[in-house]
Amino acid sequence: MTTPNLQIREDGRLRHFLSIEGLNHNLLTEILDTAESFTGVAEQSVKKVPLLRGRTIVNLFFEASTRTRTTFELAAKRLSADVLNINVSASSAVKGETLLDTLRNLEAMHVDMFVVRHCDSGTAHFIARHVLPHVTVINAGDGRHAHPTQAMLDMFTIRREKGLDFSRLTVAIVGDILHSRVARSQIHALNLLSTGEVRIVAPRTLIPASVESLGVRVFNDLREGLQDVDVVIMLRLQRERMQGAMLPSENEYYRLYGLTEEKLSVAKPDVTVMHPGPINRGVEMDSQVADGPRSVILQQVAYGIATRMAVMSMAMQQRAVQNSNEYT
Amino acid sequence: MNTPRIRISGGRLIDPANRIDQLLDLYIGDGQIVAIGNTPDGFTPDISLDATGLCIVPGLIDLCARLREPGHEYKASIDSECRAAAACGITTLCCPPDTDPVIDTPAVVELIRHRAQQVAAARVVVLGALTRGLNGRHLSEMHALKQAGCVGMSNALHPLKSTLVERRAFEYAATFDLTVFLHADDMALSAGGCIHEGRISTRLGLPGIPEAAETVAVARDLALIEQTGVRAHFCRLTTHRAVRMIARAQFDGLPVTADTAMPYVYLNEVDAADFGADYHFIPPLRTLEDRDGLLEGLRRGTLSALCSDHRPHEPDAKRAPFPATEPGASGLDTLLPLSLKLVESAQLSMTDAVARITVGPARILNLPYGDLGVGRCADVCIFDPAASWYLDEAQMHSQGKNTPFRGWEMPGKVRYTLVDGRIAYAAGIQ
């Protein structure tokens, strides 16, 4: 079965932003360039541009989130949009209203964009397939599938730190790849931007089946995996993993995969250390590293706003053009 | 019983049970096959069916069809699905016990039989629950269920709580010479999964079901079958390794049979790569290698039946994010055409294809159907092998329109279906 790419309009521009997979090098670069142009907004005395004035954006979160939701909210507000935050708790889903009913009700309020987070992989795609033609969907994380805006802000961070050319970079992603939507999106983004080598480092219980098919080199040993890397991205380890017989203990995980200054010494001297947050200090990362000079973890958060502004404005701007065409 | 005398003339009679595949006339009276070939003395037909250019096969037997009644009538009913079955050339439907209430008492068996008799289209046989309420802990009253007419025992897709319960259930079923129908699934390995664990589950971030969920269960079940001597049937195998294990067990003389379902011989994990809910199956669609292994199993007869694994749904069941949708496809409408398509694509011979949907399942169920020998029950399907059509959900006979084969070109169109010597369906006449 071939379905047209849901995310891309016929003219090749962004329609929805659901996953990195299915986009191309040019679009990714355009997002990064646009994000670059928005970084100045936060430094202005009036931190706003009028690009999305009069638009209504709904943050539709079926899963708890502070960081992602607040940066999306700030991004929307800095674009002058009206923002509605809806946290659909598990309890109201239990009441029997289907996802589609929730969606239809909100659409009836003339919403222009949904920013969606949900625990089921494929939810953003599902919603994008069912929304009215003028509504844009942005994926803010679906199950273990994708978290494309996080990946883009990470690419933005890497570009700021290492320059435009990704082909000479070696990037290692360390930790729970199996359950990570962030890792999946990062891997696609890094490969689309022609990164020299993408590595993943984890014990075998945390590596998904046939992961090589995503275009990565697999390492089980942290020291080997960090050898001469330019960028290391640490992933958050969920405490539940101990219950699921994925790992014996946080202690052993920290001993083997926790990032310390000492383990980092085999990387390039100017290695950049990243983490999508929130960090478990002393589990996946030592505080010395997290707060050290090579860490860009706080910059990532700041760049998150600019990147999300870029994605939102690109997906919506196109609509403005389309609408004006309708009247000519 | 006043059943008509029927002559079916000029058609190609394909009866794998009796190794017949040639142009032969068929004579029916008193609900039975009276003669094949020459007109018996004194036979004057009440009805003559001209089958020139058509194929005559035993009525199809679908080894697994959920009719959704009792309990889930918003999906389908015995009425809707028995009529649909007849229109699709299916004369016997075998219904698993996971209805609501569960088929664990003679009363539920009686209810289903009664409803099916009222409809008077296809025949319905049922599997009784292996454990009470399918709870996996307490044995059901298997003797009573057998007396009530259950053709075997199954725990459907529900797990047995321990290997001890499994052993006891096998022993108890063997006491009454009942066949146990097993879904090979190690629940701990498959828990939470909704797609084959492999490249696609990794890409989509969907929780996977590893191949070992099936093979581990087959190995465990085979050991207990050997220990207890129970006759067992493995339902809906999906992996080539499991097929090999069954072939080995059959070679060793264990009383085991196995089947697979139509989606698994046509589709694979890649079909779900777009989060398409129509491709959500439990057990999941596997790999191309597995599909080839299943076809090989069907050719060799390791898999002696091919079923629809019919699971009709209301539209809403498939309108949700992939993991939240209900698995399975409506399969009655595609059982015959997709079997014929395997012949078209030279995957199976006509004899084997027909056998897997007639006498194969009949023998597994230990029923005297699927055979057009003289004296046998006159369950007959007459179809036009040259007809070609496109599957359009609006034209589907089943109440469930959920199918992954939408838009596919299908060979073969049913003209007549006879159940017990009565015309249960005639194309164009309703």
Side-chain angles (χ1 to χ4, degrees):
Chain A
M1 193 178 82
T2 52
T3 21
N5 193 330
L6 267 176
Q7 316 191 73
I8 309 284
R9 294 174 197 280
E10 275 174 22
D11 63 2
R13 314 210 28 106
L14 209 55
R15 156 103 176 78
H16 300 291
F17 193 62
L18 309 174
S19 65
I20 301 291
E21 205 185 2
L23 303 183
N24 57 42
H25 186 285
N26 288 348
L27 259 174
L28 259 54
T29 306
E30 191 185 338
I31 292 169
L32 297 178
D33 292 344
T34 311
E36 195 69 57
S37 74
F38 283 130
T39 48
V41 175
E43 275 116 53
Q44 293 165 202
S45 57
V46 177
K47 300 187 184 63
K48 265 187 200 276
V49 287
L51 280 173
L52 298 186
R53 192 161 50 200
R55 305 284 193 199
T56 307
I57 296 177
V58 172
N59 282 329
L60 190 55
F61 277 58
F62 294 86
E63 214 182 56
S65 156
T66 340
R67 189 170 317 223
T68 303
R69 211 213 62 222
T70 43
T71 51
F72 264 112
E73 186 176 348
L74 266 180
K77 285 181 170 162
R78 286 187 183 163
L79 291 166
S80 311
D82 297 316
V83 185
L84 193 63
N85 288 314
I86 299 183
N87 296 313
V88 188
S89 63
S91 67
S92 62
V94 169
K95 275 178 198 158
E97 189 176 58
T98 67
L99 181 55
L100 268 190
D101 287 334
T102 308
L103 210 63
R104 296 274 175 264
N105 277 289
L106 288 166
E107 273 179 348
M109 301 171 198
H110 300 286
V111 164
D112 299 288
M113 175 186 281
F114 287 112
V115 176
V116 185
R117 170 171 286 195
H118 197 283
C119 60
D120 282 334
S121 301
T123 301
H125 281 78
F126 171 75
I127 291 178
R129 268 196 198 110
H130 287 89
V131 286
L132 295 171
H134 70 270
V135 177
T136 296
V137 179
I138 308 273
N139 187 0
D142 62 328
R144 307 174 186 177
H145 173 235
H147 194 352
T149 57
Q150 176 70 42
M152 288 316 294
L153 78 87
D154 293 332
M155 297 309 111
F156 187 83
T157 311
I158 294 173
R159 203 168 81 156
R160 275 254 165 144
E161 292 294 315
K162 302 292 178 190
L164 294 180
D165 183 11
F166 278 65
S167 68
R168 44 172 203 84
L169 298 181
T170 301
V171 180
I173 305 171
V174 182
D176 185 359
I177 313 289
L178 178 64
H179 298 92
S180 177
R181 53 190 172 212
V182 174
R184 281 178 178 76
S185 288
Q186 286 167 340
I187 291 167
H188 287 303
L190 287 166
N191 282 325
L192 273 177
L193 293 171
S194 318
T195 307
E197 184 173 310
V198 184
R199 301 176 178 178
I200 59 168
V201 187
R204 291 188 51 177
T205 46
L206 297 180
I207 293 178
S210 310
V211 72
E212 304 80 7
S213 62
L214 297 180
V216 295
R217 262 184 86 184
V218 180
F219 291 81
N220 297 129
D221 182 277
L222 184 60
R223 271 167 231 276
E224 282 173 33
L226 291 185
Q227 196 73 45
D228 297 321
V229 298
D230 299 279
V231 178
V232 49
I233 303 173
M234 301 303 294
L235 298 173
R236 179 179 166 77
L237 185 78
Q238 307 280 346
R239 297 260 149 95
E240 302 95 86
R241 304 304 166 231
M242 264 46 82
Q243 265 86 60
M246 298 276 180
L247 293 172
S249 66
E250 288 181 1
N251 250 332
E252 177 144 314
Y253 184 78
Y254 178 69
R255 276 203 305 277
L256 295 173
Y257 298 98
L259 192 62
T260 60
E261 286 291 347
E262 191 264 317
K263 287 179 190 148
L264 202 52
S265 63
V266 297
K268 293 252 178 76
D270 64 341
V271 64
T272 300
V273 175
M274 298 167 58
H275 192 298
I279 312 173
N280 291 312
R281 289 167 186 264
V283 180
E284 66 256 10
M285 197 185 261
D286 191 71
S287 284
Q288 238 191 325
V289 180
D291 305 329
R294 287 172 292 198
S295 160
V296 293
I297 295 170
L298 289 178
Q299 283 93 314
Q300 285 176 268
V301 180
Y303 297 154
I305 299 169
T307 311
R308 286 172 178 132
M309 286 170 78
V311 171
M312 287 171 143
S313 63
M314 280 171 66
M316 291 279 258
Q317 231 170 25
Q318 207 40 42
R319 239 197 75 201
V321 174
Q322 211 176 37
N323 283 355
S324 67
N325 285 347
E326 280 165 22
Y327 297 110
T328 53
Chain B
M1 288 279 270
N2 193 8
T3 56
R5 280 184 301 259
I6 302 173
R7 181 180 67 196
I8 305 167
S9 59
R12 173 183 171 192
L13 184 74
I14 306 166
D15 180 17
N18 298 295
R19 298 208 176 81
I20 293 171
D21 182 359
Q22 64 183 102
L23 291 176
L24 283 172
D25 294 351
L26 197 62
Y27 299 89
I28 291 165
D30 280 336
Q32 295 182 343
I33 310 293
V34 181
I36 300 160
N38 299 323
T39 317
D41 292 339
F43 186 95
T44 45
D46 303 310
I47 301 168
S48 281
L49 300 177
D50 179 8
T52 309
L54 307 181
C55 290
I56 304 162
V57 299
L60 274 49
I61 299 172
D62 195 347
L63 201 49
C64 184
R66 284 178 170 78
L67 311 179
R68 303 305 194 188
E69 186 181 352
H72 308 102
E73 288 85 350
Y74 54 96
K75 292 182 185 291
S77 65
I78 291 173
D79 185 279
S80 71
E81 301 317 283
C82 284
R83 286 180 206 284
C88 300
I90 301 164
T91 52
T92 303
L93 294 164
C94 182
C95 172
D98 51 356
T99 47
D100 183 16
V102 164
I103 306 177
D104 62 354
T105 60
V108 183
V109 180
E110 195 45 52
L111 171 96
I112 293 172
R113 192 202 334 271
H114 181 67
R115 287 265 203 284
Q117 272 166 1
Q118 280 180 325
V119 183
R123 179 187 302 112
V124 176
V125 297
V126 300
L127 297 177
L130 192 61
T131 60
R132 203 185 310 156
L134 300 173
N135 69 11
R137 263 191 201 94
H138 306 106
L139 299 188
S140 65
E141 294 182 355
M142 294 186 209
H143 180 258
L145 289 167
K146 186 182 181 184
Q147 293 298 107
C150 288
V151 293
M153 293 293 144
S154 161
N155 224 51
L157 295 163
H158 297 253
L160 296 171
K161 294 297 180 213
S162 74
T163 41
L164 180 65
V165 174
E166 184 171 345
R167 176 193 172 174
R168 298 295 183 225
F170 285 10
E171 286 171 337
Y172 198 69
T175 307
F176 308 108
D177 195 30
L178 281 159
T179 306
V180 291
F181 288 70
L182 306 170
H183 285 271
D185 179 28
D186 186 288
M187 290 288 169
L189 287 174
S190 64
C194 61
I195 184 173
H196 172 67
E197 183 179 297
R199 280 181 316 143
I200 303 300
S201 70
T202 291
R203 246 186 65 203
L204 299 183
L206 289 170
I209 299 176
E211 176 194 59
E214 182 164 297
T215 51
V216 165
V218 169
R220 178 199 64 206
D221 295 348
L222 284 174
L224 289 169
I225 290 162
E226 189 154 27
Q227 169 93 36
T228 60
V230 73
R231 192 170 54 242
H233 175 76
F234 285 87
C235 306
R236 266 99 290 150
L237 293 184
T238 62
T239 67
H240 73 283
R241 286 200 172 82
V243 175
R244 274 217 311 256
M245 292 163 82
I246 298 298
R248 180 80 224 181
Q250 289 172 340
F251 179 80
D252 290 343
L254 257 59
V256 292
T257 50
D259 75 80
T260 191
M262 206 56 91
Y264 305 109
V265 300
Y266 277 100
L267 307 172
N268 63 78
E269 55 169 350
V270 178
D271 287 298
D274 222 16
F275 292 112
D278 283 330
Y279 303 93
H280 182 190
F281 287 90
I282 296 292
L285 301 172
R286 301 285 185 182
T287 65
L288 281 172
E289 200 184 359
D290 290 313
R291 188 205 59 178
D292 292 346
L294 295 172
L295 284 166
E296 182 63 19
L298 285 168
R299 272 191 293 273
R300 288 170 181 262
T302 309
L303 304 176
S304 53
L306 181 54
C307 71
S308 73
D309 196 14
H310 180 60
R311 296 195 216 186
H313 285 299
E314 79 285 13
D316 278 349
K318 294 284 185 184
R319 274 190 209 131
F322 190 92
T325 56
E326 293 184 54
S330 178
L332 299 181
D333 285 84
T334 48
L335 182 62
L336 177 67
L338 289 177
S339 299
L340 296 172
K341 218 173 165 72
L342 290 175
V343 180
E344 257 186 12
S345 58
Q347 300 283 0
L348 285 182
S349 69
M350 182 61 112
T351 308
D352 283 346
V354 173
R356 301 295 173 260
I357 51 177
T358 57
V359 66
R363 288 190 181 150
I364 290 164
L365 295 167
N366 198 22
L367 292 172
Y369 311 127
D371 177 333
L372 295 179
V374 172
R376 293 289 183 162
C377 177
D379 287 358
V380 184
C381 165
I382 303 170
F383 65 90
D384 178 358
S388 170
W389 49 287
Y390 289 89
L391 182 64
D392 167 8
E393 59 186 44
Q395 303 293 319
M396 285 173 73
H397 294 97
S398 168
Q399 187 176 323
K401 311 298 181 195
N402 48 304
T403 172
F405 301 109
R406 194 173 290 113
W408 281 40
E409 189 180 0
M410 298 284 176
K413 196 104 199 165
V414 173
R415 288 294 188 78
Y416 299 100
T417 304
L418 277 66
V419 180
D420 278 328
R422 294 167 185 275
I423 296 178
Y425 171 80
I429 307 162
Q430 201 62 2

